[in-house]
Amino acid sequence: MKVILSRKGLDSTYCDIANLCINNTELVMLPIMSKNNTATYRDLSLCENPTTSNVVEQIFNHSKTINTDTHCHVDPNLINFYNVDSFLGSLGQVNSSQAHLLNQGVSVGDIFIFFGLFKDCNTSQSEVKVFKSKSKHIIFGYLQIGEIVYPNSLSNKERHDYESRYPWLKLHPHWNNEIEDFSNDKNNCIYIARETCTFDNSIKGYGTFNFDKDLVLTKFGERPPTHWELPKELQDLKLSYHNENSQKKDYFQSALRGQEFVIEECSQAEQWAIELIKRYAKR
């Protein structure tokens, strides 16, 4: 079983909002902006907690660069953003990122561990205080691959069969070329989650994590987000897009480019991912 550290969600490169860590309790991953998609943030159920939804709405209202009518790329989908029936978590990938996953031999049964750029958001009564600390990389969710689909290689009948099995696919930006044009990309791919994990059928094959300090990758202190304190289980393992020079004197320098970091396949990495999911996955 391979484990992939996958960087996803909104960051502050193009706007003044990142993913949110609310009251050091709840992690909210916000899909990235996209001019080509028909979905807007207003169309989505961004949070599983109604109270948190109100907080997120206030944050959008205070932003100078993004609002609830901004279009977004709804991917990965780990919490059923559209509230549709028969939902399974999914991740779309294309271009060089998908080529990298393919070259690394990622396949059914492997596990994505998602991380992203987060900023703290503290609430007290009706007041919302956000961005009071530096941004940091935090692990927020997971997906165990149950099926890998290449939409552009399917016949019309095969597409119809998939849509019958997974009605929510019609809303996926990597499936519906009318939403975002992936029609000329042969390696346009969708990873569909298992219903339950192979190592524990009481746990969904996809989902998000409850916040814990152990999920923070960025080294504690006044550090750039890419200065990591790698989990001890991963410190001696190879990580794609990185080399021996990535380990500095007192931190691990994570790659500034690249979305998918594949950990060398071994029982140590596999057990780390399994224990992470068992301990922190929302039930």
Side-chain angles (χ1 to χ4, degrees), residues 28-29 42 51 61 76 84 129 167 175-176 187 223 228 274:
V28 178
M29 189 282 287
R42 187 187 302 278
T51 302
N61 289 340
V84 294
K129 295 182 179 180
W175 180 266
N176 190 339
N187 68 347
R223 296 279 188 157
W228 287 3
I274 289 173

Side-chain angles (χ1 to χ4, degrees), residues 127-278:
E127 186 178 19
V128 176
K129 295 182 179 180
V130 71
F131 309 162
K132 292 299 183 182
S133 67
K134 292 182 70 68
S135 302
K136 50 197 172 187
H137 281 153
I138 302 177
I139 295 170
F140 67 85
Y142 69 98
L143 182 150
Q144 185 173 27
I145 303 170
E147 193 168 355
I148 302 174
V149 183
Y150 288 87
N152 298 339
S153 69
L154 301 177
S155 66
N156 289 337
K157 181 182 183 305
E158 288 171 325
R159 287 182 65 91
H160 176 76
D161 290 344
Y162 267 108
E163 290 175 354
S164 296
R165 289 168 55 200
Y166 307 125
W168 50 267
L169 265 178
K170 297 177 184 178
L171 299 169
H172 200 291
H174 286 258
W175 180 266
N176 190 339
N177 288 322
E178 292 181 2
I179 297 177
E180 189 152 359
D181 188 11
F182 297 126
S183 58
N184 294 321
D185 292 298
K186 294 181 179 180
N187 68 347
N188 176 43
C189 179
I190 300 175
Y191 295 88
I192 299 175
R194 288 178 51 88
E195 290 189 17
T196 61
C197 291
T198 54
F199 51 84
D200 189 332
N201 62 13
S202 69
I203 302 176
K204 288 191 306 182
Y206 62 94
T208 57
F209 292 140
N210 295 303
F211 175 76
D212 187 274
K213 61 181 178 58
D214 289 340
L215 299 176
V216 180
L217 290 168
T218 300
K219 191 176 178 69
F220 180 77
E222 294 297 310
R223 296 279 188 157
T226 57
H227 285 195
W228 287 3
E229 182 77 56
L230 270 181
K232 64 180 186 301
E233 296 88 346
L234 307 184
Q235 289 178 3
D236 298 323
L237 302 181
K238 294 179 181 178
L239 188 63
S240 66
Y241 281 102
H242 299 79
N243 56 41
E244 63 275 6
N245 296 323
S246 300
Q247 183 59 58
K248 307 301 181 183
K249 182 178 180 180
D250 66 340
Y251 68 92
F252 181 84
Q253 177 61 64
S254 68
L256 301 178
R257 293 182 177 273
Q259 296 181 24
E260 313 294 348
F261 307 149
V262 183
I263 303 169
E264 71 171 281
E265 189 170 7
C266 62
S267 59
Q268 190 172 322
E270 178 179 329
Q271 199 56 38
W272 170 76
I274 289 173
E275 290 303 316
L276 201 72
I277 294 168
K278 285 183 174 180

Side-chain angles (χ1 to χ4, degrees), residues 59-81:
I59 290 169
F60 272 104
N61 289 340
H62 286 91
S63 171
K64 296 180 180 178
T65 59
I66 189 171
N67 58 60
T68 53
D69 291 320
T70 302
H71 295 270
C72 56
H73 180 81
V74 189
D75 182 42
N77 192 342
L78 304 176
I79 67 168
N80 196 358
F81 284 126

